[in-house]
Amino acid sequence: MGIELMSYLPEIILVSVIAVFMSISPGADFVMVTRNSIFHNRKAGLYSALGVSLAIWVHVAYSIAGLAIVISNSVVLFSIIKYFGAAYLIYIGWKTLRSGTDIDISETKDKKTLSNFSAFKVGFITNVLNPKTTLFFLSIFTQVVNPETPIILQLIYGAIISLAHLVWFSSVAVFLTHPALLKRFNDYKTTIERMVGAVLIGFGLKVASTSNS
């Protein structure tokens, strides 16, 4: 088993490196976690991070099942994912522009905010419908991972990618909800709200206009 594992070491290292860059690269997941952390609270950001992390397993599941190859060769299937993802980003962006949410500078403050489940759901759906994540998995499981790679090792790859996302986005949520930063954010609440909403809508439009080729 040790010799077998060593034979897959280059693949393990490459997937791990891709997982890190995959998680920290700017995109819809980052903006969504940022939005929920700043405009709601740290807990909302952390639950959104958890949603993103667990959504990774949806991509892992269809990749291991061999559907990654089907999706990569089907313009229709990829387009469905792409347009649903774009519509969701535009919807959340529009809601952010119109929300008028007060930035919570106290984690103990009693105020209306996202429930844990709602925060989790936003993170989960954003990642599941994120074409960028789909493309990452299509490239990993069709170009990097050998068809002969054992299923258990492919599951370990999934765990590595999921953990990388959880650590990164949890760190983002904790950093952005530092009291000193929240006080600054509160001074520019309206501007930040408009920027976040516009960025989400921009991501949605960019996703919708991206070529499938």
Side-chain angles (χ1 to χ4, degrees):
M1 180 65 181
I3 297 177
E4 184 178 332
L5 186 62
M6 287 300 294
S7 66
Y8 287 103
L9 188 58
E11 189 175 285
I12 295 171
I13 293 174
L14 184 54
V15 169
S16 298
V17 170
I18 292 174
V20 172
F21 281 101
M22 185 178 173
S23 59
I24 67 176
S25 61
D29 294 337
F30 179 84
V31 178
M32 201 67 77
V33 172
T34 296
R35 169 190 181 271
N36 291 345
S37 299
I38 294 176
F39 294 113
H40 295 286
N41 54 36
R42 178 174 294 176
K43 184 182 287 187
L46 291 173
Y47 270 93
S48 294
L50 180 62
V52 169
S53 175
L54 292 184
I56 290 296
W57 288 100
V58 174
H59 301 287
V60 173
Y62 68 65
S63 296
I64 291 178
L67 293 179
I69 297 175
V70 175
I71 295 173
S72 65
N73 289 288
S74 173
V75 174
V76 174
L77 277 178
F78 187 77
S79 294
I80 290 173
I81 296 171
K82 181 178 74 172
Y83 289 122
F84 267 107
Y88 186 72
L89 290 175
I90 293 170
Y91 168 70
I92 296 296
W94 179 248
K95 282 185 64 177
T96 302
L97 285 175
R98 296 173 54 86
S99 66
T101 305
D102 291 328
I103 295 176
D104 189 356
I105 62 175
S106 170
E107 289 300 311
T108 60
K109 185 177 177 183
D110 184 18
K111 56 168 285 187
K112 183 179 179 182
T113 188
L114 277 181
S115 67
N116 295 340
F117 177 73
S118 294
F120 172 87
K121 181 176 67 175
V122 168
F124 186 89
I125 294 176
T126 299
N127 185 269
V128 165
L129 296 179
N130 189 346
K132 188 188 79 169
T133 305
T134 301
L135 286 173
F136 266 118
F137 272 88
L138 294 182
S139 63
I140 290 172
F141 281 85
T142 60
Q143 304 296 324
V144 178
V145 178
N146 192 300
E148 305 303 318
T149 299
I151 295 296
I152 185 64
L153 197 52
Q154 294 186 46
L155 290 172
I156 290 174
Y157 293 163
I160 291 172
I161 298 171
S162 179
L163 181 61
H165 280 72
L166 180 61
V167 170
W168 169 249
F169 287 114
S170 294
S171 299
V172 168
V174 170
F175 174 75
L176 291 177
T177 52
H178 188 282
L181 281 177
L182 286 178
K183 288 178 182 178
R184 286 293 188 92
F185 290 148
N186 201 42
D187 292 336
Y188 302 97
K189 180 187 76 68
T190 301
T191 300
I192 294 173
E193 208 162 44
R194 289 173 179 171
M195 287 178 59
V196 171
V199 168
L200 285 170
I201 291 173
F203 269 124
L205 294 174
K206 181 179 178 181
V207 165
S209 62
T210 300
S211 171
N212 293 334
S213 58

